[in-house]
Amino acid sequence: RIEYVKNARFNAKDRVDKLVDYINFNENFLKTRAQNEIKDIVLLGKIVAQEVYYENAQLPKNVIFEKIEELLGEKRFFNNLEGYYFVFDMQGVNIVHGANRAFVGQNLINVQDGEGKHTIYEVIQKLQGKEGIYHQWQWKNPGDEHFRTKIGYIAYIEELDILIGSARYEDEISKEIKEEAQKLLINTRYGESGYIFAHDYNGVAIAHGNAKE
């Protein structure tokens, strides 16, 4: 009986340790995948803008910008379809803003985020001499009570001396990671009746392999 209990404890600890290692690995993998997804979307938009330029190089810049806005202004992406493009010139004037097209034509270089940082100005400065950068800032949508962290990728378009970017809220990425972990935990079994349960630091159940308890 004692030996059985020892083995059961060892097996339970071994299974939990392996799950923790896997969840940590998977979390890093999914975060990296989300960042790469943002970057890939932005680089696709960059290609679209470059093609507009090459096809209309003889036209004034403002006309080219209008054509870019027509193509990119209504695009939506990511799983929740809340992703959108923003495009600025290097003085901070907005060219495309998928969330609020009323911003087009406005100089937003002095707009501050939730920490008082001038986000557009910081992005323009960081982008100097680079093809693209990741950047984080604090933002909130209309109706939100609190500021949230946004993770964005911004690329420079040399032909037009403008930048293009997109971003996702960090907590939305974390939610997707949590859901993946929940699926794994709920479906994990060992032995005849072993299962996994998990709670967050507030005591809220994340997953419970035995739904009856």
Side-chain angles (χ1 to χ4, degrees), residues 32-139:
T32 300
R33 187 178 72 177
Q35 290 179 340
N36 288 339
E37 183 182 20
I38 299 169
K39 181 178 179 179
D40 289 344
I41 286 289
V42 170
L43 294 181
L44 178 61
K46 177 179 178 176
I47 291 171
V48 171
Q50 287 172 321
E51 288 179 347
V52 171
Y53 167 74
Y54 290 129
E55 292 173 2
N56 301 277
Q58 77 283 359
L59 297 177
K61 257 191 178 182
N62 65 303
V63 177
I64 296 174
F65 290 163
E66 288 175 1
K67 290 181 177 294
I68 291 173
E69 201 281 331
E70 289 175 3
L71 286 173
L72 299 180
E74 294 184 353
K75 298 296 183 185
R76 290 293 182 274
F77 33 82
F78 304 136
N79 291 339
N80 55 12
L81 296 180
E82 291 186 0
Y84 59 87
Y85 287 112
F86 53 82
V87 179
F88 290 85
D89 70 17
M90 301 307 280
Q91 286 71 51
V93 177
N94 183 256
I95 297 166
V96 177
H97 201 294
N100 190 343
R101 300 179 88 168
F103 287 147
V104 174
Q106 296 186 37
N107 192 314
L108 304 178
I109 200 163
N110 291 320
V111 169
Q112 295 175 293
D113 74 352
E115 295 180 338
K117 297 178 180 179
H118 295 84
T119 304
I120 305 303
Y121 176 80
E122 285 191 353
V123 165
I124 291 172
Q125 294 304 308
K126 285 178 65 176
L127 200 54
Q128 299 295 325
K130 299 182 177 68
E131 293 185 359
I133 58 167
Y134 285 101
H135 190 71
Q136 293 189 16
W137 62 95
Q138 301 296 314
W139 205 252

Side-chain angles (χ1 to χ4, degrees), residues 158-184:
E158 184 177 2
E159 294 87 344
L160 292 164
D161 195 30
I162 60 177
L163 63 85
I164 181 171
S166 188
R168 293 191 64 188
Y169 281 108
E170 185 179 49
D171 58 4
E172 293 175 355
I173 297 173
S174 296
K175 181 182 177 183
E176 293 177 5
I177 293 172
K178 180 179 178 180
E179 289 172 350
E180 289 291 326
Q182 283 177 319
K183 292 176 185 177
L184 173 66

